[in-house]
Amino acid sequence: MLNIEKFMSSLEAKHPGELEYLQAVKEVLLSIEDIYNDVTSFCVNEDRNGITYKAKTKGKMEPVGCLSDALSPAWFIMKIEEDGDLELEISHSSGHDVDFACWGPFEGKTKIDVLKRIKENPDLLHDPGNTKTYPRENMVDCSYDYSKPVEYCQIPNAKRDEWYLVVITNYTLISGDIRFVKSSGSATTNCDIIVDASSPSPFCEGETIRFFVGTTLKGSKYHWTGPDGFQSNLKEPLIPNAKLSNSGTYYLQVEHDGNTSPLIA
């Protein structure tokens, strides 16, 4: 998660009185924070472990699609690895009602690329209205039914490198765990995207280079490498007093439970 206030405090010390510059930087960081903090990357494949997260118990968004009451929304995004149909099973640990809506397919090389396009073109999340038939326009599937303790999101004919955006709501506002897993289908999802690495570059000489990591699993180990022999095992390392020799591409590799991610640039 981005610590914008801490970052800006450091930047203000280096650029006192440069209000226009500082405001411009803050607006960029706020845009990045909004994208990263609101949407979680996920993957679900054959192991049935899926994704489990603490159910939100407050918050509300405007009704969309079949979601007449969109309470405590949680947003997720996934990328398709292998073609086919995909079914997601969604449930609350206490058996309470959960609902969902799913949009796609979207194009883009990265999560940020996709979310920026959606932000710049909100019609991509066009509300087709409350209908019983999906897919409809960009909404792939949607369900709002308090009688169902378990929901199933159907994504037909998904193609490699397509992205899908899912919002899951907690209708009862009761605490617990919400879990979603792949329940059927030949499509697989790309688990490389669970590592969201970024840096609000460019930086000037003398400034502190900062790195941020979004979604990762608890207990992960981090291995950063980069120009001028840079190496770090911290999750979000810093390079103070940047030099020209620090310019270039940095790479992150994450280990978790014996599995290692590809190098993320």
Side-chain angles (χ1 to χ4, degrees), residues 60 68 105 118 128 131 152 195 225 242 258:
K60 183 178 182 179
S68 301
I118 292 173
T131 176
Y152 293 92
V195 181
T225 57

Side-chain angles (χ1 to χ4, degrees), residues 44-46 48 85-90 150-154 180-187:
V44 285
N45 288 328
E46 305 299 338
R48 293 284 297 176
D85 296 339
L86 180 63
E87 180 184 80
L88 302 178
E89 177 184 302
I90 307 168
V150 179
E151 294 279 11
Y152 293 92
C153 174
Q154 309 283 346
F180 56 103
V181 301
K182 175 181 175 179
S183 47
S184 69
S186 59

Side-chain angles (χ1 to χ4, degrees), residues 3-126:
N3 188 335
I4 289 180
E5 293 307 317
K6 185 177 180 180
F7 180 86
M8 291 304 301
S9 177
S10 174
L11 198 62
E12 286 167 6
K14 294 180 180 293
H15 300 272
E18 298 182 33
L19 300 182
E20 290 186 7
Y21 166 75
L22 293 170
Q23 182 61 31
V25 172
K26 187 171 184 178
E27 288 177 1
V28 171
L29 291 176
L30 287 170
S31 175
I32 295 172
E33 180 192 46
D34 176 61
I35 291 170
Y36 268 110
N37 293 351
D38 288 348
V39 183
T40 300
S41 304
F42 78 96
C43 68
V44 285
N45 288 328
E46 305 299 338
D47 57 13
R48 293 284 297 176
N49 291 330
I51 299 293
T52 300
Y53 68 95
K54 293 296 181 183
K56 294 184 178 182
T57 56
K58 59 183 180 180
K60 183 178 182 179
M61 70 179 198
E62 291 297 318
V64 62
C66 71
L67 301 179
S68 301
D69 290 300
L71 303 175
S72 301
W75 291 86
F76 301 89
I77 192 169
M78 65 177 174
K79 185 180 183 181
I80 300 300
E81 177 72 18
E82 297 180 5
D83 298 0
D85 296 339
L86 180 63
E87 180 184 80
L88 302 178
E89 177 184 302
I90 307 168
S91 60
H92 191 292
S93 59
S94 299
H96 295 290
D97 177 45
V98 290
D99 304 296
F100 73 89
C102 176
W103 292 264
F106 301 110
E107 297 180 352
K109 292 183 178 180
T110 66
K111 165 188 170 179
I112 285 296
D113 185 25
V114 174
L115 295 178
K116 280 185 176 178
R117 290 187 184 186
I118 292 173
K119 192 171 183 178
E120 292 168 359
N121 301 280
D123 285 345
L124 292 175
L125 295 188
H126 178 67

